[in-house]
Amino acid sequence: MIKNILQGLQGYTGAFGLISKLKLWKYFFVPIIISFVTALVIGVSAYGLSDNIGNFIAKVWFWDWGKETFTTISSFIGGFVVVALGLILYKHIIMALSAPFMSPVSEKIEAHLTGIQQHQHRNTSFSEQLSRGIKINLRNLTRELLLTLPILLISFIPVIGIISSILLFLTQAYYAGFGNMDYTLERHFKYNESISFVRRYRGIAIGNGIVFMLLLLIPIFGIILVLPLSVTAASLKTVQVINAEKLSH
């Protein structure tokens, strides 16, 4: 697992240079706009909802003493919950809607690595790529929410709450890496086969997703660079692993 996580992280080495070398920046124009708009909508919604959720939680405290302190803590908790859920939604929305634009990027990277310009894999249209992206990300969104909600509840427990933050980050990283890897997998495997592949190499997905999540912490530039760098890194490692599996069989 640790070895695969390091591989996922290693994929980012030289990713920026490869994008420029293969002239891939033009493919990221629309996804970057999608990323900006989605981040803006979710950010504005999060700002408005955090106080509402905080006030809702504060109603649990019936007593007058400590009411102000508990309300302040509740607002913080409300903000944390909204940010966590907002990041999950943002991630899956941009990855689903960007699928038709990211698949050609992955294909060009694969052609560069293998030297085969005309691949013999599954041929999919723009609409099929979009449909696949929406399907895989809806599936991942549902599973991630089912894992995230219990983790958020654990976060309220003293001491153990620190562990929950790490679990929450790694869960988000895994599903981010999953989505990035699928831009390559959709050409090679059917839906269920792709899910099995990512499970076998979940460490690579986590490694890729760790940088994805860290990039989002960088104001403005993170939103611009997150897809170009993470998709390029995921494509590099996914193609390498697919080719290694073929050679071993």
Side-chain angles (χ1 to χ4, degrees):
M1 173 69 84
I2 299 298
K3 181 181 177 182
N4 281 344
I5 290 176
L6 292 175
Q7 280 193 51
L9 294 169
Q10 188 185 35
Y12 285 88
T13 306
F16 200 94
L18 185 61
I19 294 171
S20 298
K21 181 179 180 180
L22 300 182
K23 300 177 180 178
L24 300 175
W25 286 112
K26 60 185 177 183
Y27 294 98
F28 295 111
F29 181 71
V30 173
I32 286 172
I33 292 175
I34 293 172
S35 182
F36 257 115
V37 173
T38 304
L40 183 64
V41 171
I42 289 178
V44 171
S45 300
Y47 182 79
L49 284 173
S50 58
D51 286 340
N52 293 335
I53 294 175
N55 291 331
F56 178 76
I57 296 172
K59 289 179 181 178
V60 176
W61 194 267
F62 298 106
W63 304 273
D64 290 331
W65 60 272
K67 183 74 174 178
E68 188 175 335
T69 302
F70 189 77
T71 301
T72 302
I73 295 171
S74 298
S75 295
F76 174 78
I77 293 171
F80 177 72
V81 170
V82 168
V83 168
L85 296 179
L87 276 174
I88 293 172
L89 286 172
Y90 165 80
K91 179 171 75 240
H92 291 294
I93 289 170
I94 64 168
M95 288 195 294
L97 298 181
S98 299
F101 305 97
M102 297 298 95
S103 291
V105 169
S106 172
E107 190 174 335
K108 287 186 177 295
I109 291 171
E110 181 170 1
H112 171 73
L113 292 176
T114 62
I116 303 171
Q117 297 301 316
Q118 209 54 35
H119 71 79
Q120 302 298 316
H121 317 309
R122 298 172 65 242
N123 289 313
T124 52
S125 65
F126 183 97
S127 60
E128 287 172 330
Q129 290 162 0
L130 179 60
S131 176
R132 161 86 173 224
I134 292 172
K135 183 179 180 182
I136 205 85
N137 279 284
L138 277 175
R139 180 255 181 202
N140 287 349
L141 171 62
T142 303
R143 288 173 178 265
E144 188 172 354
L145 286 174
L146 288 174
L147 288 171
T148 298
L149 294 176
I151 293 173
L152 285 174
L153 291 174
I154 293 172
S155 68
F156 298 131
I157 304 174
V159 182
I160 299 176
I162 299 172
I163 299 172
S164 73
S165 299
I166 298 171
L167 287 175
L168 187 63
F169 181 81
L170 291 177
T171 300
Q172 292 221 18
Y174 170 68
Y175 284 106
F178 192 135
N180 289 328
M181 290 174 72
D182 195 62
Y183 298 134
T184 298
L185 297 177
E186 66 92 16
R187 286 193 306 281
H188 293 266
F189 304 115
K190 294 179 180 177
Y191 178 78
N192 289 326
E193 292 171 338
S194 295
I195 293 171
S196 297
F197 182 94
V198 178
R199 282 175 180 163
R200 289 199 303 277
Y201 298 100
R202 58 171 60 90
I204 292 177
I206 292 172
N208 178 269
I210 285 173
V211 180
F212 181 102
M213 298 304 299
L214 291 176
L215 282 170
L216 291 180
L217 299 178
I218 305 173
I220 302 176
F221 288 105
I223 296 172
I224 294 172
L225 296 175
V226 68
L227 275 177
L229 293 181
S230 62
V231 171
T232 301
S235 299
L236 279 167
K237 299 314 296 184
T238 306
V239 169
Q240 288 173 2
V241 172
I242 289 173
N243 289 337
E245 275 200 349
K246 287 178 180 178
L247 291 173
S248 64
H249 284 76

